[in-house]
Amino acid sequence: MTEKRTNQSIAFDKEKNFVSAVIYVYNDEERIGEFLQKINTVLRTNFENYQIICVNDASEDNSLAVIREIGKTITGTVINVVNMSFYQGVELSMNAGIDLSIGDFVFEFDNLVMDYGADLMMEVYNRCLSGFDIVNAAPKKCGHKSSRLFYRVFNRYSHNPHPLRTENFRILSRRAINRVHSVSRTIPYRKAVYANCGLKIATIVYNNDLSCLKAYGKETRYQRKEMAADSLILFTNVAYKMTILAAVFMMIATFGIGIYTLFSYVFEDVVSGYTSMMLVIVFGFFGVFVILAVIIKYLSMLMELVFSKQKYTIESVETLSE
Amino acid sequence: MIWDKIIIGAGLYGLYAAKTCGDRGERVLVLEWEESPFQRATYINQARVHMGYHYPRSYATAIKSAHYFNRFVKDYDFCIHQEFDQIYATSDSFSWTNREQFTKFCKAADIPCEELVPEKYFNKGLCDGAYRTREYTYDAGILGHYFVDELKRKINVEMKYGVRIQAIEKQGKHFAVILENGETFETGFLLNATYGSTNQILDLAGIEPFKIKYELCEIILCKPQQQLLDVGITVMDGPFFSVMPFGKTGYHSLTAVAFTPHMSSFDSLPQFKCQEKSEGYCSPRQLGNCNDCQVRPQSAWPYMSTMAEKYLKADYSFSYAGSLFSMKPILKASEVDDSRPTVVRKASENPTFVSVLSGKINTVYDLDEVLKND
Ligand SMILES: Cc1cc2nc3c(=O)[nH]c(=O)nc-3n(C[C@H](O)[C@H](O)[C@H](O)COP(=O)(O)OP(=O)(O)OC[C@H]3O[C@@H](n4cnc5c(N)ncnc54)[C@H](O)[C@@H]3O)c2cc1C
């Protein structure tokens, strides 16, 4: 639509598309500096216009100060910082960053582990141009056992056309972002929504170096577990299957016990014992509790989806430039 | 000869004061740095005649704006552009206000707003509320000519352009304004109406400065395409943008909260890195005109236009025509509510020294009180 023209000299070999890079930052003072420099170099050499958005998830260390420092040294570009009001985890924070981004294409960096060569960014971008609205960069080897298990369960029980796996970063077209937002208002787990959005998706698998894997802090581990549970419930039928299974199993058991009781009453003439009675009760309650747990989880999620108007809570947005 | 009033700065505030006092027959001298009036903020801004919509976080500013709106539009109707739809919208994310709050606010401030369907102007999912409001823009060029003509007819008012003030001294019951070329002018009433340079003038006079921060701002001029021609659009209240008629020039101004300010200075006297490269044209002691400066920043057009594109439906398009730069002093006290009060401060009496730090064009009437001669 709007004609792209600037009063600066235009380098004709650079890409004309405006790209945004959204980076999740949480207590990353050691990595963020180098990371910013690296991706800025890639973006500067390849794109005429770009922006970098750092989403600072209420870091307690010097991450923000480091970003501000770098902001002073990187000329000609605009670094934005979204400061989250309090720790909200990678999902909500990234949503905030993506909502702020203005690019025609948006890079998502969930973490600052750069176990790939910087040129992979352009490979992903070019694949995107070739007709994929979402392109993922996925490491060949994944270190975390828990996440491997999670994906196995997830993929088994969800009807996603695209199985999920550990990914390091991805690029989205503006069209994909619009689509995702029109599909669902709250996006509790981006990857699952992306995989379901119905647009073309590609994944580039790269050979990675396991040594730079990041250990998660306590809060992050908790957040990840919560998110795993939430998304298993929201995007898969694991819970539903479990509940049905439990219900059916208990039905059969109860039925069996009923027949047995009837049988012994008619033919054996024995008073039922204390132990077996207790067994039945305990077993029955156990089943009820399992079902209750699942229902409660459902309800709490519905509550959250229905009542919280704000998708996330931000404290401020700043623009850094030289 | 001793002047009844000396006014430093020929922006709207300076010339309004000159006209008001000149009408009363006072002998008035206007000292202006540039070669003609209205070269800075009065010309280089969004040209909104505010009705209050812009301040959903500051009822006081909003109510005052609405009050002044009618008076300004009546007094200066010849320069007012009102033949367009001014659309205000609240963004779905990142806004400090939302649909319900904005509706409530308009009601409380008693300003008209008609709710529209956001999808008429905006891409789906980006704005939760859109309103047709009553807001106009003014044409600084036309307004400037009016004042120049009016003042030319008064023999008791003198304008001096290209002035370089070296010192301001208090001498008994008078202030002496001493120029670099040795000329000296005396008055019992000095009005400092230099906006971005206000602390620099205060510094010359040895008076306590305002607590302000400075922002070097870019206003982009663009050519609206057919659909946008008679529409002005403002998405508030947060890191958003505005594209709206620039007076009667036929251009639209384009600004974006995150990209319009290019640099800031938190120093009492404005200090910017670019000043070193300006070869004396601009310094913490005297601001040059960024618009004419050799080392003015590169345009943020790619950022502002991309942001607007993200929000606006493709029909409402526009193309780049040029950039204007100016300095904006912001009261540090306004950070939270984003209010824009006009501060009129009397530093001394007999001789009188008054500084005005204007918030908006149509609050110029705030000067009336202090210009009175009791
Ligand atoms: C980016 C931006 C957007 C804005 N948008 C709006 C808007 O939409 N609506 C609105 O109502 N208001 C807006 N404002 C505010 C409005 O522009 C100002 O409040 C108003 O123009 C100030 O008028 P003034 O006469 O005080 O200042 P100016 O017009 O700046 O006049 C000051 C004069 O002092 C002169 N001067 C400076 N130093 C010296 C010196 N040493 N000696 C002699 N002369 C000197 C300057 O050359 C200049 O002519 C905006 C401001 C900015 C910066």
Side-chain angles (χ1 to χ4, degrees):
Chain A
M1 70 186 258
T2 300
E3 192 188 333
K4 305 239 176 201
R5 190 142 45 98
T6 59
N7 66 353
Q8 38 199 304
S9 61
I10 290 172
F12 284 94
D13 51 335
K14 291 191 182 178
E15 289 290 324
K16 300 287 181 290
N17 285 323
F18 194 116
V19 298
S20 306
V22 182
I23 304 167
Y24 177 72
V25 182
Y26 176 62
N27 292 346
D28 282 306
E29 60 181 4
E30 281 143 40
R31 293 170 188 255
I32 182 67
E34 200 193 333
F35 188 83
L36 273 179
Q37 299 283 16
K38 271 189 188 158
I39 69 158
N40 181 60
T41 308
V42 175
L43 295 173
R44 196 185 51 220
T45 29
N46 291 290
F47 294 93
E48 212 168 88
N49 303 301
Y50 62 93
Q51 69 175 164
I52 297 175
I53 298 174
C54 296
V55 190
N56 171 28
D57 194 6
S59 296
E60 286 134 19
D61 66 353
N62 278 323
S63 298
L64 186 58
V66 177
I67 297 170
R68 287 198 179 126
E69 244 354 89
I70 301 268
K72 281 191 207 142
T73 64
I74 296 178
T75 54
T77 167
V78 175
I79 297 188
N80 286 228
V81 182
V82 180
N83 289 308
M84 304 300 283
S85 303
F86 44 87
Y87 178 78
Q88 283 160 71
V90 65
E91 291 299 321
L92 297 190
S93 304
M94 287 302 279
N95 286 340
I98 288 155
D99 281 351
L100 187 73
S101 72
I102 58 176
D104 310 319
F105 294 88
V106 179
F107 281 104
E108 278 186 0
F109 295 95
D110 289 13
N111 67 63
L112 302 175
V113 179
M114 237 197 188
D115 56 357
Y116 47 88
D119 38 333
L120 184 65
M121 273 173 72
M122 289 314 289
E123 202 182 311
V124 165
Y125 170 77
N126 287 325
R127 177 73 65 89
C128 189
L129 289 191
S130 75
F132 295 92
D133 283 277
I134 300 174
V135 180
N136 301 305
K140 202 169 197 170
K141 291 168 266 180
C142 165
H144 293 288
K145 252 196 223 127
S146 54
S147 55
R148 278 204 304 261
L149 177 70
F150 167 74
Y151 289 121
R152 198 165 318 136
V153 177
F154 190 99
N155 290 330
R156 170 128 165 59
Y157 291 99
S158 75
H159 298 293
N160 256 337
H162 301 275
L164 304 190
R165 55 172 297 158
T166 298
E167 290 156 8
N168 199 318
F169 70 97
R170 71 185 63 79
I171 194 168
L172 308 166
S173 66
R174 179 60 50 189
R175 194 168 70 161
I177 294 173
N178 292 343
R179 167 67 69 87
V180 162
H181 281 272
S182 61
V183 168
S184 60
R185 178 169 161 76
T186 24
I187 302 177
Y189 184 43
R190 281 166 302 140
K191 270 160 108 174
V193 180
Y194 292 165
N196 267 319
C197 78
L199 294 169
K200 278 176 90 177
I201 300 181
T203 300
I204 296 178
V205 179
Y206 63 91
N207 234 331
N208 61 319
D209 173 8
L210 270 183
S211 63
C212 46
L213 213 75
K214 187 163 98 174
Y216 294 115
K218 200 172 129 204
E219 254 177 352
T220 313
R221 279 205 307 272
Y222 174 74
Q223 192 90 24
R224 282 172 65 88
K225 264 186 232 150
E226 279 287 287
M227 217 246 347
D230 287 2
S231 44
L232 282 176
I233 288 199
L234 262 191
F235 297 101
T236 71
N237 52 12
V238 168
Y240 173 73
K241 282 206 166 161
M242 266 169 48
T243 325
I244 287 292
L245 213 73
V248 168
F249 185 70
M250 280 185 305
M251 248 167 60
I252 294 170
T254 320
F255 192 68
I257 293 165
I259 290 183
Y260 169 73
T261 318
L262 227 78
F263 179 83
S264 45
Y265 176 75
V266 176
F267 296 104
E268 293 185 0
D269 197 29
V270 282
V271 183
S272 45
Y274 172 76
T275 11
S276 55
M277 188 68 179
M278 277 314 284
L279 259 175
V280 171
I281 291 172
V282 166
F283 186 70
F285 270 100
F286 174 74
V288 170
F289 284 141
V290 169
I291 295 172
L292 273 182
V294 173
I295 290 175
I296 287 167
K297 186 71 197 165
Y298 261 113
L299 282 180
S300 73
M301 282 184 61
L302 284 178
M303 280 270 285
E304 217 163 279
L305 294 180
V306 171
F307 288 109
S308 67
K309 259 196 203 160
Q310 291 290 338
K311 298 178 264 186
Y312 40 75
T313 319
I314 61 151
E315 179 192 285
S316 63
V317 176
E318 24 182 322
T319 306
L320 310 177
S321 52
E322 23 87 73
Chain B
M1 189 196 81
I2 290 167
W3 297 88
D4 290 328
K5 297 217 161 80
I6 291 183
I7 296 165
I8 308 176
L12 176 67
Y13 279 71
L15 295 198
Y16 174 84
K19 182 172 177 301
T20 307
C21 299
D23 285 343
R24 290 198 294 248
E26 295 175 27
R27 302 215 30 149
V28 180
L29 174 66
V30 179
L31 302 176
E32 168 57 48
W33 172 279
E34 307 273 357
E35 294 303 330
S36 54
F38 283 29
Q39 291 302 300
R40 300 210 183 181
T42 299
Y43 163 50
I44 303 163
N45 67 33
Q46 286 185 300
R48 268 178 225 279
V49 184
H50 280 284
M51 174 77 140
Y53 299 101
H54 223 60
Y55 305 100
R57 274 181 283 148
S58 173
Y59 278 56
T61 308
I63 289 167
K64 202 156 189 192
S65 304
H67 174 66
Y68 281 133
F69 177 84
N70 292 324
R71 184 166 169 195
F72 192 88
V73 170
K74 193 161 143 267
D75 288 355
Y76 304 104
D77 64 326
F78 52 86
C79 74
I80 302 288
H81 179 34
Q82 46 178 277
E83 307 300 310
F84 66 97
D85 282 338
Q86 181 71 301
I87 310 301
Y88 268 79
T90 49
S91 178
D92 193 53
S93 37
F94 288 104
S95 191
W96 300 118
T97 191
N98 64 22
R99 182 172 158 249
E100 289 92 29
Q101 286 159 2
F102 190 72
T103 316
K104 220 174 100 195
F105 153 78
C106 286
K107 214 167 179 181
D110 202 18
I111 47 181
C113 85
E114 172 198 345
E115 189 155 5
L116 307 170
V117 185
E119 272 77 29
K120 178 163 175 6
Y121 299 98
F122 304 101
N123 289 325
K124 220 176 141 219
L126 286 168
C127 292
D128 67 346
Y131 311 85
R132 184 179 293 123
T133 61
R134 197 148 72 87
E135 189 179 88
Y136 307 145
T137 66
Y138 72 96
D139 193 300
I142 300 172
L143 188 61
H145 279 298
Y146 164 80
F147 274 103
V148 169
D149 289 346
E150 285 283 312
L151 294 174
K152 236 185 226 156
R153 277 195 246 125
K154 297 190 199 317
I155 45 165
N156 51 327
V157 177
E158 194 175 324
M159 310 284 304
K160 274 195 178 298
Y161 296 110
V163 163
R164 300 290 180 264
I165 300 173
Q166 189 171 42
I168 298 172
E169 286 171 9
K170 190 167 165 180
Q171 301 175 344
K173 286 201 170 280
H174 298 118
F175 279 109
V177 180
I178 304 156
L179 307 194
E180 275 175 15
N181 64 10
E183 277 182 285
T184 302
F185 307 99
E186 287 183 293
T187 183
F189 190 113
L190 190 64
L191 176 69
N192 168 18
T194 53
Y195 196 54
S197 300
T198 193
N199 277 356
Q200 299 176 324
I201 295 295
L202 288 170
D203 189 51
L204 283 180
I207 296 170
E208 198 198 330
F210 282 97
K211 289 196 174 52
I212 45 182
K213 75 166 191 183
Y214 300 84
E215 280 180 353
L216 200 176
C217 295
E218 177 184 12
I219 306 275
I220 289 179
L221 296 185
C222 49
K223 266 271 164 232
Q225 249 86 95
Q226 205 52 44
Q227 288 269 59
L228 189 64
L229 217 51
D230 300 320
V231 182
I233 290 174
T234 298
V235 179
M236 20 131 254
D237 165 18
F240 311 114
F241 75 102
S242 231
V243 55
M244 56 190 278
F246 189 58
K248 297 185 175 187
T249 59
Y251 290 113
H252 269 40
S253 65
L254 170 65
T255 55
V257 174
F259 306 118
T260 286
H262 278 257
M263 299 172 215
S264 324
S265 166
F266 293 86
D267 306 291
S268 175
L269 294 178
Q271 210 152 11
F272 291 93
K273 268 199 198 144
C274 51
Q275 286 168 333
E276 293 155 24
K277 289 179 254 163
S278 76
E279 293 170 0
Y281 178 69
C282 182
S283 71
R285 296 206 59 223
Q286 175 60 49
L287 285 172
N289 187 334
C290 304
N291 203 33
D292 301 330
C293 185
Q294 297 260 356
V295 292
R296 64 188 214 162
Q298 283 199 334
S299 174
W301 161 254
Y303 294 93
M304 295 205 218
S305 58
T306 310
M307 158 159 284
E309 274 174 34
K310 172 180 155 185
Y311 277 88
L312 289 176
K313 290 182 82 164
D315 310 344
Y316 298 92
S317 64
F318 50 86
S319 58
Y320 184 80
S323 296
L324 299 172
F325 291 88
S326 70
M327 193 60 72
K328 185 179 211 166
I330 299 169
L331 283 174
K332 285 180 177 162
S334 298
E335 283 282 329
V336 168
D337 62 2
D338 198 37
S339 65
R340 291 286 177 270
T342 290
V343 186
V344 183
R345 214 171 72 189
K346 206 184 255 186
S348 77
E349 214 153 357
N350 251 339
T352 305
F353 193 115
V354 175
S355 296
V356 54
L357 190 66
S358 53
K360 284 181 300 298
I361 286 297
N362 49 333
T363 44
V364 67
Y365 304 110
D366 276 345
L367 278 180
D368 292 348
E369 184 68 21
V370 74
L371 293 177
K372 267 192 222 151
N373 287 317
D374 310 311

